[in-house]
Amino acid sequence: MALYNDVLEVVGGQIPKGSVTVSGAKNSATRLLAAASMCDEAVVLTGYPTNLVDSKHKERFLTNNGVNTSTKSEEIYIDPTNYKPNQLDDYFYPIRTTYLLVAGQLKRSEVAYIPYPGGCNIGSRKYDIHISIWESFGCDVKEADNCIIITRPTRLTASNFDFPISTVGGTENALLMAAISEGKSVFTNAYITPEIEDLIEFLKRSGVDIVVTGHSHIEVTGTPYLKGHTYHVLPDRIEALTWLIYGAISGGEILIKNVPFESMKIPLMYLKNSGVDFFSNSDSIYIDSTCLTAGCAHSFEVACGTHPGIISDMQPFYVMLGLVSLGKSRIHDYRYPKRISYIEELQKFVDLEIEAVEGLITTNGPANFKCADAVATDLRGTMTAVLAALCSPSGTSKITGVSMALRGYNDLVSKLDSLGIKVSYKG
């Protein structure tokens, strides 16, 4: 069953032609919004994906706690000077990263109230690590019926924390807590991704002293006053890959602007090795039907894990590439092996069997696409259903609960329109 009831209707046979600009990264923007709520002055985030579903939920939470936010075009203004954490009547906020809202509240109050983490159901993604992080800073954590309650000591003091697993969310949470604590916090076995580098740079510009050694050691010296400033959000590498895969499988002609090449070196290398010979300059990629040099992609094998390799959020799009590749392709996912629930829905759009077991998806292409009706699963998996519907040569497809994809794709309908693709969205 889909979490949302909105529907996207797609008429097959449309070939994309035009340009699309990659928005600010979801996995950076929503973290920067939480960090901005910790500041003592107003913050402006530019290149911000203002229409993301996840962002809107987080803005709603902050507004309900006294933070003033306003958006225009790709810019958001955050004034947290009247942030007054309080216990709300409603804690329905279907986003995973609610734990990042704790630090901003504890900066201003002894008690923080946050919704239970929501988001995508892609296997075991529990929040025990976040409880451990808060406790390492001396906080008391209580799990109430509708929210998590975190109570801090009179003074938040620095923490030395060795992460038991490599975790993006845990590293982000620890960074925010350390930024408002007294003394120097030291984190080992942290997980530093491009989006976390973006968060670190934001905090440094706010006045926090942060030293990174290697790829997993972070030292943070907190500060009682965080300055406001203007900051530009990192472009979304997963969105860039999505448009690139769409161009490859659709036979269309797409110019993709604002591509973050530095954070995509290995994913792009794998595309080249599989026969996707796109054109690029310093910040853009152009792809058309001639970019598949053999008329289809070659079979390939990839393993999804941690950055700088192919991350798990990219896994479904390599499955899409596998569907148009000649021969058997294998996509392993060691990070989230249970990220296979979307395969049942994707299967409806193709004429061959997609083999899926925990940790491994196998395709034996090339497949032919057809129209179908599907329901949302997780964010990226739902987007693959959208791409498959777009590649159907005829008929009308319906994806119910497409807001699951809109959580990560800013202005999706208007961007499709810029490519000459007409869809009907019923919210």
Side-chain angles (χ1 to χ4, degrees):
M1 175 182 286
L3 178 62
Y4 305 99
N5 293 319
D6 57 330
V7 176
L8 186 75
E9 293 187 0
V10 180
V11 177
Q14 301 181 76
I15 306 298
K17 184 176 182 179
S19 65
V20 63
T21 300
V22 176
S23 294
K26 163 192 175 285
N27 290 338
S28 182
T30 53
R31 278 68 167 174
L32 295 176
L33 180 59
S37 74
M38 295 164 42
C39 292
D40 295 280
E41 300 170 354
V43 171
V44 176
L45 298 175
T46 59
Y48 190 89
T50 53
N51 292 316
L52 282 187
V53 170
D54 273 18
S55 177
K56 291 301 183 185
H57 283 305
K58 194 164 285 186
E59 286 176 57
R60 177 167 61 92
F61 180 88
L62 293 174
T63 300
N64 287 338
N65 282 278
V67 178
N68 178 24
T69 68
S70 61
T71 59
K72 64 176 182 180
S73 185
E74 291 196 348
E75 182 176 296
I76 184 169
Y77 170 85
I78 307 107
D79 182 358
T81 52
N82 292 318
Y83 195 174
K84 296 179 180 178
N86 58 85
Q87 194 160 11
L88 306 176
D89 294 329
D90 174 24
Y91 278 95
F92 178 69
Y93 293 85
I95 49 178
R96 172 66 189 170
T97 58
T98 58
Y99 47 80
L100 298 180
L101 298 165
V102 170
Q105 295 187 56
L106 292 184
K107 179 178 170 65
R108 297 168 173 85
S109 172
E110 290 188 356
V111 183
Y113 305 91
I114 63 159
Y116 281 93
C120 297
N121 181 18
I122 57 173
S124 180
R125 293 179 68 179
K126 298 180 180 178
Y127 51 89
D128 290 355
I129 188 72
H130 299 291
I131 294 176
S132 297
I133 290 167
W134 295 321
E135 290 177 342
S136 78
F137 284 94
C139 298
D140 178 71
V141 182
K142 177 184 177 182
E143 297 176 74
D145 289 340
N146 63 343
C147 66
I148 303 174
I149 304 172
I150 302 93
T151 304
R152 66 167 169 82
T154 303
R155 293 165 51 235
L156 276 173
T157 55
S159 164
N160 291 338
F161 194 84
D162 181 29
F163 288 96
I165 58 172
S166 180
T167 164
V168 172
T171 301
E172 294 164 337
N173 193 5
L175 280 167
L176 297 184
M177 290 294 294
I180 62 168
S181 299
E182 295 182 17
K184 180 187 288 186
S185 296
V186 179
F187 305 121
T188 53
N189 196 33
Y191 182 21
I192 301 175
T193 66
E195 293 79 15
I196 288 179
E197 290 174 340
D198 215 23
L199 176 59
I200 288 172
E201 182 61 26
F202 176 91
L203 292 173
K204 289 169 71 172
R205 293 191 191 182
S206 301
V208 183
D209 182 20
I210 304 177
V211 177
V212 177
T213 305
H215 297 288
S216 61
H217 185 94
I218 308 175
E219 297 180 1
V220 183
T221 302
T223 178
Y225 194 90
L226 277 74
K227 299 177 292 185
H229 52 97
T230 298
Y231 190 83
H232 192 75
V233 181
L234 174 78
D236 196 316
R237 53 184 168 149
I238 305 169
E239 183 191 349
L241 179 69
T242 304
W243 295 120
L244 184 50
I245 294 294
Y246 179 39
I249 67 178
S250 66
E253 182 180 334
I254 303 178
L255 175 63
I256 309 162
K257 301 178 181 178
N258 200 32
V259 177
F261 286 100
E262 277 300 308
S263 62
M264 298 181 67
K265 289 180 179 179
I266 293 178
L268 293 180
M269 179 190 72
Y270 269 90
L271 291 185
K272 289 277 190 178
N273 290 344
S274 66
V276 183
D277 191 19
F278 52 85
F279 305 96
S280 61
N281 60 19
S282 60
D283 70 347
S284 300
I285 287 176
Y286 173 81
I287 186 165
D288 66 10
S289 58
T290 66
C291 291
L292 289 180
T293 53
C296 60
H298 313 308
S299 60
F300 59 89
E301 186 161 358
V302 300
C304 302
T306 58
H307 178 78
I310 297 171
I311 61 172
S312 185
D313 275 352
M314 296 176 174
Q315 178 246 94
F317 305 107
Y318 284 91
V319 172
M320 292 301 295
L321 183 63
L323 290 176
V324 299
S325 299
L326 181 61
K328 184 170 289 188
S329 295
R330 297 179 179 88
I331 300 92
H332 303 265
D333 195 334
Y334 301 118
R335 184 74 175 169
Y336 292 111
K338 293 185 179 180
R339 190 193 284 264
I340 58 174
S341 62
Y342 72 94
I343 293 296
E344 183 177 350
E345 299 303 313
L346 182 59
Q347 181 69 73
K348 299 174 182 178
F349 293 93
V350 293
D351 63 350
L352 57 78
E353 182 181 358
I354 308 172
E355 301 173 26
V357 296
E358 287 190 12
L360 174 62
I361 299 170
T362 305
T363 63
N364 196 359
N368 294 309
F369 292 98
K370 57 185 178 180
C371 66
D373 292 344
V375 297
T377 51
D378 62 287
L379 192 167
R380 308 301 171 184
T382 300
M383 190 61 196
T384 63
V386 173
L387 295 185
L390 290 169
C391 290
S392 171
S394 61
T396 300
S397 300
K398 295 181 180 179
I399 295 94
T400 300
V402 77
S403 278
M404 183 63 77
L406 301 183
R407 290 180 49 234
Y409 291 88
N410 189 52
D411 291 328
L412 176 60
V413 174
S414 64
K415 287 183 178 180
L416 288 172
D417 187 67
S418 74
L419 298 175
I421 302 297
K422 306 300 180 185
V423 297
S424 174
Y425 175 67
K426 299 176 181 178

